[in-house]
Amino acid sequence: MRVRGRWLGLAIPILGATSALAQEAPVSVVPWPADAQPREGDFTIDADTRIVVSDPSIEELRRLAATLTTPIREATGLPLELVAVTGPIPPNTILLALDAGADAAAGEPYERDESYYLLVDRDRVMLLANSAAGVFYGIQTLRQLLPPTGTSGVWSVPALEIRDAPRFRYRGMHLDVGRHFFPVSFIKRYIDLLAMYKLNTFHWHLTEDQGWRVEIEKYPRLTEVGSCRAETVVEKNFDPYVGDGTRYCGYYTKDDIRDVVAYAAERYVNVIPEIELPGHSLAALAAYPELACTDGPFEVGTRWGVFDDIYCPTERTFAFLEDVLSEVMNLFPGPYIHVGGDEAPKTRWEESPAAQEVIAREGLADEHELQSYFIRRIEAFLNANGRRLIGWDEILEGGLAPQATVMSWRGMIGGIEAAKEGHDVIMTPYSHLYFDYYQGDRRFEPLAIGGYTPLERVYEFEPVPAELSPEEASYIIGGQANVWTEYMKTAPHVEYMALPRMLALAEVVWSPADARSWDRFVARLPSQFERLESLGVNYRIPEVAGLGEDRVTTSDSDVVVLSHPVPSAEIRFTLDGSAPTRDSELYSNPFMIFFGPTAGAPDGVGEVTVSARAFMPGGRAGPTSRAHFSHAQLLAAEEVDERRLSSGLDYRYYEYGFQSARNLLVAAAVRPGVVQVLEGPGGQLVPDAIPPTRQGHASRIALAGSERDQDFGLVFEGYLKAPTDGVYTYYLTSDDGAVLVIGDRVVVDHDGLHGMTEKSGSIALEAGFHPVALGFFQAGGAVGLEVSVRTDRGTRGEVPSDWLYRTD
Ligand code: ACM
């Protein structure tokens, strides 16, 4: 039992409580400009400040001027009149100037000049650009230099000089409205947020298995039937299936679409519609079963996943799709139409006489070439109508359509291949840019599809792969983040998942690569949060830092240092495992935990769980972060005769469909002690002992590279050398599950079916040799295993090969 008074109450300011990161940056623009130089002083807006446009006859300039002045006028009551000026610009003026010689491409998305020049000194603000888009982006910067809307007080801008232009011409955010439907009002708000961060593309994913969301006049059943599903799966209850019993409907009328497209255009955002084909088309098949390879009937999907029923490649289907795309092209004036192309199982085509006939007629090798044929036909149709096709990277299978732009989502590989073939590429890998992935500790986040993409990982993303030549790299036209909404039912939840990750994306695609700095980005966040707060955006408040992993110590005390990037946020914490509330203890300084003998459990091991949460001045709370602090006795090393040891671990490879690394270790009959640790609830899923397909020695704990793609297991076993007494933290990054056992302890339990995620655990080891076993299994899909270690507070790296031994 712990005795509270022993470790609580002693607040010792050990480290500076405010790090450099917490200091507010004077200029908090996101995305950071290509070049920004500070100047002396401020420009202050007052009752005499006038706004001047270079040519009042350009209506667009006057409209843009109003987007700047209206919110300021509403916040301050200052007149900010728009006046015409001939001759020199008078003081106390904000000038918006458009170069009169702007060229014809000025209005075309992805072709227009988006650069601007902004000079602020004590007397005036000058914003110059070659295009209205440039003026718009300069205004976004200027607005970020001013206080957030709704703030009263002095409205001033720090003097500076900015020369700015985007790094990439394509800067996108996607939204899936098929899985869940979002009203036009929210779509506009989403577009406002994109525009505020200088993103220029809204990729509107309009059709899905679970709902067709766009009115098509020629095929009314698409919305009559296809826009409604009978119900929705509850959480992840796929097997056994549990539905919510509630009919779910929604679609956009043509007027809605026109309204959104026009709204976006005023914010220099191009809208790209996605009409999915040949897969993810169950809602369309429910409406028009004759478009399928089998008779149906089909139902609009009620659960998530990839479905075998896809469009059949018949002439009837092509006629239908051309009709649909014709109406879509009339609604969306931009250069691109997205046609999906991802996740289209070939099952039905393999069994369909109609599909096989097309393969024979066109001399195609297989169903993959049939998919390629399908996409090429659609591309030819779009091209003939002056449009360009975008597809997910599966459109590479069976050969790329000649003009296609590839959206690389299954990593960067598809994008690299397409760029090498001279095709435009938009990078949107799930590893960094899937905003449906978790962004924090799953225990404290709303249910998500999986993965782990914290803000920093988005920020680290580099869209141009190092292996591309400069010529090939020029085909990487930009990046985009995707927001798939299986687990997002409401608009606030979409905002929570999209922001602030969208800000990191904006900086990745706008700012020069060498201007990017995580620390400086974090320093600029508080001001952005204040802005988002004033707009009522449900952005995710960062978790409290300092509780990233559980901590084990062999000394009598440990120190808890908490911090938060927002200086005005209050950190509240608890020590009893409960979620902190507004009434919990306020954190002000680092504090100590003492693990004295009287504080510990009967065996002398003390422990405490620290949970912390940030509360914003406006009242919203961030997610909880939590870590377990404990004192541990050193685990005694095992007496081994070193002469019997050789370097490297024993390695065994099993070809078997494991579902769990624990079961694998049990089945592989590793040391009885380990089996005892691992056996428990759940029982064994595999035979008592199965023979390995291969075995040998390994100097590293890693995949050999010769394993098959799925259904295998690996076991590493032997002795781990601890060079000194101390705490060792092991990290397992794996897809699927892995378990690490040292001595009689499960140090890292990262078992189960999952994507490439990391888990860590710590153990205090006496110097010497300790029995070790690691089990890893791969079921299907992507595969990976990485193991690293950190000693005490040292750096982290691969497990040194001279720590690994076996007995022969
Ligand atoms: C995708 O995530 N299926 C493009």
Side-chain angles (χ1 to χ4, degrees):
M1 288 288 101
R2 286 182 268 117
V3 183
R4 289 187 70 97
R6 285 287 304 203
W7 39 262
L8 191 62
L10 237 185
I12 307 169
I14 293 153
L15 301 169
T18 46
S19 68
L21 302 192
Q23 285 163 23
E24 211 156 350
V27 175
S28 295
V29 177
V30 173
W32 190 248
D35 182 61
Q37 302 298 331
R39 295 226 171 175
E40 281 293 302
D42 293 305
F43 174 84
T44 301
I45 297 175
D46 60 28
D48 297 323
T49 304
R50 298 287 175 264
I51 185 148
V52 175
V53 295
S54 58
D55 183 349
S57 71
I58 303 177
E59 198 198 326
E60 182 72 344
L61 256 185
R62 284 189 284 119
R63 186 185 70 78
L64 287 170
T67 68
L68 176 64
T69 54
T70 307
I72 303 175
R73 209 178 279 142
E74 281 168 4
T76 61
L78 297 171
L80 265 183
E81 268 176 65
L82 183 66
V83 296
V85 169
T86 42
I89 307 297
N92 203 358
T93 299
I94 299 173
L95 168 73
L96 306 185
L98 194 54
D99 187 326
D103 71 32
E108 293 301 317
Y110 316 112
E111 287 171 24
R112 57 195 168 210
D113 182 340
E114 297 175 300
S115 67
Y116 67 92
Y117 171 78
L118 179 65
L119 177 67
V120 179
D121 62 27
R122 289 197 179 93
D123 284 343
R124 61 181 64 76
V125 173
M126 275 192 347
L127 169 55
L128 318 177
N130 292 320
S131 74
V135 174
F136 180 80
Y137 290 131
I139 289 174
Q140 302 319 304
T141 298
L142 195 48
R143 287 190 61 173
Q144 291 195 18
L145 294 168
L146 286 161
T149 317
T151 313
S152 53
V154 182
W155 277 58
S156 60
V157 190
L160 46 66
E161 186 175 18
I162 287 176
R163 286 182 174 79
D164 202 6
R167 178 174 172 206
F168 292 103
R169 66 177 190 267
Y170 183 108
R171 305 178 302 279
M173 280 293 292
H174 149 288
L175 183 66
D176 165 17
V177 297
R179 273 57 176 261
H180 285 101
F181 177 79
F182 301 92
V184 166
S185 57
F186 177 68
I187 301 297
K188 288 181 174 176
R189 185 176 158 96
Y190 195 69
I191 288 168
D192 282 339
L193 291 167
L194 267 63
M196 182 170 152
Y197 293 107
K198 303 187 175 79
L199 299 172
N200 66 357
T201 301
F202 171 48
H203 171 172
W204 205 356
H205 184 79
L206 285 166
T207 69
E208 255 308 333
D209 296 307
Q210 298 83 7
W212 182 284
R213 309 276 178 227
V214 51
E215 178 187 10
I216 300 293
E217 276 163 58
K218 189 157 185 184
Y219 300 94
R221 286 175 59 82
L222 285 172
T223 44
E224 286 165 13
V225 174
S227 75
C228 287
R229 59 177 178 255
E231 62 173 1
T232 305
V233 62
V234 173
E235 296 186 339
K236 296 188 179 180
N237 295 286
F238 303 112
D239 188 19
Y241 171 80
V242 181
D244 66 4
T246 306
R247 196 170 155 81
Y248 187 93
C249 300
Y251 72 91
Y252 306 99
T253 65
K254 288 197 161 180
D255 281 343
D256 288 340
I257 302 269
R258 288 187 199 102
D259 184 23
V260 166
V261 168
Y263 187 88
E266 286 187 349
R267 287 151 184 81
Y268 301 91
V269 170
N270 177 51
V271 185
I272 298 180
E274 180 178 354
I275 304 297
E276 271 266 17
L277 55 88
H280 286 294
S281 47
L282 202 47
L285 302 185
Y288 297 97
E290 61 271 27
L291 302 173
C293 285
T294 55
D295 290 341
F298 305 99
E299 269 183 38
V300 180
T302 66
R303 62 188 84 202
W304 322 124
V306 173
F307 297 89
D308 284 341
D309 289 305
I310 67 174
Y311 291 120
C312 209
T314 59
E315 290 310 304
R316 191 202 294 238
T317 295
F318 286 111
F320 164 83
L321 289 171
E322 290 184 5
D323 289 341
V324 168
L325 290 170
S326 296
E327 290 194 33
V328 167
M329 285 187 285
N330 282 334
L331 288 171
F332 294 91
Y336 293 114
I337 305 291
H338 200 305
V339 299
D342 61 315
E343 300 180 324
K346 307 299 181 286
T347 323
R348 293 290 179 264
W349 291 1
E350 283 161 11
E351 293 156 4
S352 153
Q356 293 303 318
E357 224 175 85
V358 180
I359 290 178
R361 184 189 77 209
E362 301 295 329
L364 306 172
D366 55 19
E367 290 75 19
H368 293 289
E369 285 198 9
L370 180 52
Q371 153 128 348
S372 171
Y373 165 81
F374 201 116
I375 302 289
R376 282 169 197 259
R377 262 191 78 160
I378 297 295
E379 172 169 72
F381 177 73
L382 293 176
N383 290 168
N385 285 278
R387 305 304 178 92
R388 304 182 62 185
L389 175 146
I390 302 185
W392 301 110
D393 58 58
E394 284 93 332
I395 67 170
L396 281 151
E397 288 167 13
L400 209 44
Q403 309 293 324
T405 297
V406 171
M407 221 170 234
S408 190
W409 73 279
R410 295 176 299 173
M412 310 285 274
I413 306 288
I416 291 167
E417 193 181 325
K420 284 183 188 286
E421 288 180 29
H423 285 257
D424 281 353
V425 171
I426 297 152
M427 286 296 188
T428 175
Y430 64 79
S431 56
H432 294 76
L433 299 181
Y434 266 42
F435 291 178
D436 54 342
Y437 279 18
Y438 282 102
Q439 47 192 329
D441 187 333
R442 286 180 193 215
R443 291 174 298 174
F444 309 111
E445 292 292 323
L447 183 70
I449 199 158
Y452 179 58
T453 304
L455 185 61
E456 187 166 6
R457 185 159 174 86
V458 179
Y459 196 81
E460 281 167 7
F461 180 61
E462 171 46 51
V464 179
E467 60 259 62
L468 294 185
S469 70
E471 150 79 11
E472 290 161 351
S474 69
Y475 290 106
I476 311 294
I477 64 169
Q480 172 177 295
N482 297 332
V483 182
W484 301 101
T485 58
E486 285 94 333
Y487 300 96
M488 297 173 221
K489 291 177 186 291
T490 66
H493 194 176
V494 170
E495 292 179 353
Y496 181 88
M497 299 304 277
L499 293 113
R501 291 189 285 194
M502 186 199 288
L503 280 66
L505 168 73
E507 201 144 310
V508 166
V509 291
W510 179 282
S511 307
D514 61 7
R516 249 154 65 201
S517 150
W518 167 249
D519 289 351
R520 290 199 295 268
F521 174 70
V522 171
R524 280 181 272 122
L525 285 179
S527 148
Q528 296 299 327
F529 289 160
E530 212 183 320
R531 201 161 293 279
L532 294 170
E533 201 87 37
S534 78
L535 297 169
V537 175
N538 187 42
Y539 70 93
R540 179 183 185 273
I541 297 164
E543 61 274 79
V544 170
L547 301 174
E549 56 191 46
D550 290 346
R551 226 151 64 196
V552 175
T553 180
T554 53
S555 65
D556 289 342
S557 65
D558 205 343
V559 58
V560 180
V561 184
L562 306 179
S563 65
H564 196 267
V566 180
S568 57
E570 282 183 347
I571 299 174
R572 304 247 167 206
F573 68 97
T574 66
L575 299 166
D576 61 1
S578 66
T581 67
R582 223 172 302 281
D583 300 323
S584 300
E585 186 118 7
L586 179 68
Y587 174 88
S588 50
N589 282 304
F591 61 89
M592 299 208 58
I593 298 172
F594 295 103
F595 302 107
T598 55
D603 63 355
V605 178
E607 58 179 345
V608 61
T609 297
V610 181
S611 308
R613 242 178 135 179
F615 291 84
M616 300 297 281
R620 292 176 62 223
T624 299
S625 48
R626 176 173 294 165
H628 186 250
F629 289 71
S630 59
H631 171 82
Q633 311 284 13
L634 293 174
L635 184 69
E638 195 167 297
E639 293 291 331
V640 285
D641 180 354
E642 289 195 39
R643 287 166 309 184
R644 283 182 50 230
L645 296 179
S646 357
S647 67
L649 296 175
D650 284 317
Y651 159 95
R652 274 170 285 161
Y653 168 69
Y654 298 86
E655 294 194 339
Y656 187 86
F658 298 100
Q659 295 291 305
S660 139
R662 284 169 173 264
N663 290 132
L664 160 62
L665 285 173
V666 172
V670 292
R671 286 174 305 101
V674 171
V675 173
Q676 216 163 40
V677 174
L678 292 170
E679 271 177 342
Q684 273 179 243
L685 300 176
V686 290
D688 285 344
I690 57 167
T693 309
R694 236 190 350 257
Q695 52 192 319
H697 306 134
S699 59
R700 302 174 60 221
I701 309 174
L703 293 169
S706 52
E707 296 86 2
R708 62 180 181 178
D709 291 343
Q710 58 187 53
D711 293 332
F712 70 83
L714 287 179
V715 170
F716 297 86
E717 201 183 358
Y719 284 93
L720 188 62
K721 181 175 163 184
T724 55
D725 286 357
V727 174
Y728 295 80
T729 302
Y730 280 87
Y731 303 83
L732 298 190
T733 308
S734 69
D735 177 353
D736 291 284
V739 170
L740 173 68
V741 183
I742 298 175
D744 61 356
R745 315 270 168 85
V746 178
V747 179
V748 189
D749 185 350
H750 195 13
D751 210 354
L753 291 164
H754 55 72
M756 197 70 177
T757 50
E758 177 181 290
K759 246 187 158 175
S760 63
S762 299
I763 185 165
L765 298 175
E766 184 187 17
F769 295 93
H770 297 268
V772 65
L774 183 140
F776 164 80
F777 80 100
Q778 154 70 351
V783 57
L785 172 67
E786 286 164 28
V787 184
S788 59
V789 64
R790 189 165 59 78
T791 52
D792 290 325
R793 306 285 152 83
T795 55
R796 176 172 157 182
E798 195 179 349
V799 184
S801 58
D802 63 358
W803 291 13
L804 307 176
Y805 295 90
R806 64 195 148 84
T807 49
D808 280 321

mmCIF file of all heavy atoms in Angstrom, residues 280 342-343 392 409 434 484, ligand 1:
data_model
loop_
_atom_site.group_PDB
_atom_site.id
_atom_site.type_symbol
_atom_site.label_atom_id
_atom_site.label_comp_id
_atom_site.label_asym_id
_atom_site.label_seq_id
_atom_site.Cartn_x
_atom_site.Cartn_y
_atom_site.Cartn_z
ATOM 1 N N HIS A 280 -16.027 -0.444 -54.483
ATOM 2 C CA HIS A 280 -16.726 0.440 -53.537
ATOM 3 C C HIS A 280 -18.000 1.004 -54.166
ATOM 4 O O HIS A 280 -18.296 2.195 -54.043
ATOM 5 C CB HIS A 280 -15.800 1.571 -53.078
ATOM 6 C CG HIS A 280 -14.742 1.103 -52.110
ATOM 7 N ND1 HIS A 280 -15.041 0.641 -50.855
ATOM 8 C CD2 HIS A 280 -13.387 1.009 -52.235
ATOM 9 C CE1 HIS A 280 -13.920 0.299 -50.233
ATOM 10 N NE2 HIS A 280 -12.913 0.500 -51.048
ATOM 11 N N ASP A 342 -9.361 1.871 -56.204
ATOM 12 C CA ASP A 342 -8.759 1.075 -55.126
ATOM 13 C C ASP A 342 -9.653 -0.084 -54.728
ATOM 14 O O ASP A 342 -10.862 -0.080 -54.983
ATOM 15 C CB ASP A 342 -8.521 1.967 -53.899
ATOM 16 C CG ASP A 342 -9.815 2.553 -53.364
ATOM 17 O OD1 ASP A 342 -10.616 3.032 -54.187
ATOM 18 O OD2 ASP A 342 -10.040 2.534 -52.141
ATOM 19 N N GLU A 343 -9.037 -1.050 -54.088
ATOM 20 C CA GLU A 343 -9.741 -2.122 -53.383
ATOM 21 C C GLU A 343 -10.900 -2.704 -54.198
ATOM 22 O O GLU A 343 -12.036 -2.715 -53.729
ATOM 23 C CB GLU A 343 -10.238 -1.601 -52.021
ATOM 24 C CG GLU A 343 -9.077 -1.131 -51.150
ATOM 25 C CD GLU A 343 -9.509 -0.597 -49.787
ATOM 26 O OE1 GLU A 343 -10.591 0.044 -49.692
ATOM 27 O OE2 GLU A 343 -8.761 -0.800 -48.831
ATOM 28 N N TRP A 392 -6.487 6.100 -57.187
ATOM 29 C CA TRP A 392 -5.620 5.549 -56.128
ATOM 30 C C TRP A 392 -4.583 4.644 -56.788
ATOM 31 O O TRP A 392 -4.749 4.232 -57.941
ATOM 32 C CB TRP A 392 -6.460 4.773 -55.116
ATOM 33 C CG TRP A 392 -7.531 5.600 -54.450
ATOM 34 C CD1 TRP A 392 -8.872 5.491 -54.647
ATOM 35 C CD2 TRP A 392 -7.357 6.645 -53.480
ATOM 36 N NE1 TRP A 392 -9.541 6.399 -53.860
ATOM 37 C CE2 TRP A 392 -8.632 7.115 -53.133
ATOM 38 C CE3 TRP A 392 -6.239 7.222 -52.875
ATOM 39 C CZ2 TRP A 392 -8.839 8.146 -52.206
ATOM 40 C CZ3 TRP A 392 -6.435 8.233 -51.945
ATOM 41 C CH2 TRP A 392 -7.718 8.692 -51.623
ATOM 42 N N TRP A 409 -1.374 5.921 -51.886
ATOM 43 C CA TRP A 409 -1.872 5.785 -50.496
ATOM 44 C C TRP A 409 -1.292 4.591 -49.777
ATOM 45 O O TRP A 409 -1.119 4.615 -48.578
ATOM 46 C CB TRP A 409 -3.401 5.736 -50.464
ATOM 47 C CG TRP A 409 -4.049 4.467 -50.950
ATOM 48 C CD1 TRP A 409 -4.278 4.103 -52.246
ATOM 49 C CD2 TRP A 409 -4.565 3.397 -50.149
ATOM 50 N NE1 TRP A 409 -4.897 2.885 -52.293
ATOM 51 C CE2 TRP A 409 -5.092 2.427 -51.023
ATOM 52 C CE3 TRP A 409 -4.642 3.186 -48.765
ATOM 53 C CZ2 TRP A 409 -5.678 1.235 -50.567
ATOM 54 C CZ3 TRP A 409 -5.237 1.999 -48.308
ATOM 55 C CH2 TRP A 409 -5.744 1.045 -49.214
ATOM 56 N N TYR A 434 -3.109 9.610 -43.136
ATOM 57 C CA TYR A 434 -4.474 9.120 -42.926
ATOM 58 C C TYR A 434 -4.962 9.660 -41.589
ATOM 59 O O TYR A 434 -4.568 9.191 -40.524
ATOM 60 C CB TYR A 434 -4.513 7.587 -42.992
ATOM 61 C CG TYR A 434 -4.861 7.105 -44.393
ATOM 62 C CD1 TYR A 434 -4.300 7.728 -45.502
ATOM 63 C CD2 TYR A 434 -5.779 6.083 -44.604
ATOM 64 C CE1 TYR A 434 -4.629 7.330 -46.789
ATOM 65 C CE2 TYR A 434 -6.118 5.675 -45.892
ATOM 66 C CZ TYR A 434 -5.544 6.300 -46.977
ATOM 67 O OH TYR A 434 -5.873 5.913 -48.248
ATOM 68 N N TRP A 484 -11.235 9.380 -43.764
ATOM 69 C CA TRP A 484 -12.253 8.342 -43.975
ATOM 70 C C TRP A 484 -13.118 8.303 -42.725
ATOM 71 O O TRP A 484 -12.595 8.316 -41.604
ATOM 72 C CB TRP A 484 -11.578 6.988 -44.207
ATOM 73 C CG TRP A 484 -10.656 6.998 -45.389
ATOM 74 C CD1 TRP A 484 -9.296 7.105 -45.364
ATOM 75 C CD2 TRP A 484 -11.042 6.941 -46.779
ATOM 76 N NE1 TRP A 484 -8.814 7.104 -46.657
ATOM 77 C CE2 TRP A 484 -9.848 7.007 -47.529
ATOM 78 C CE3 TRP A 484 -12.264 6.831 -47.445
ATOM 79 C CZ2 TRP A 484 -9.855 6.973 -48.933
ATOM 80 C CZ3 TRP A 484 -12.262 6.800 -48.827
ATOM 81 C CH2 TRP A 484 -11.065 6.869 -49.560
HETATM 82 C C1 ACM B 1 -8.105 3.885 -49.698
HETATM 83 O O1 ACM B 1 -7.794 4.191 -48.546
HETATM 84 N N1 ACM B 1 -8.768 2.767 -49.939
HETATM 85 C C2 ACM B 1 -7.738 4.714 -50.823
#
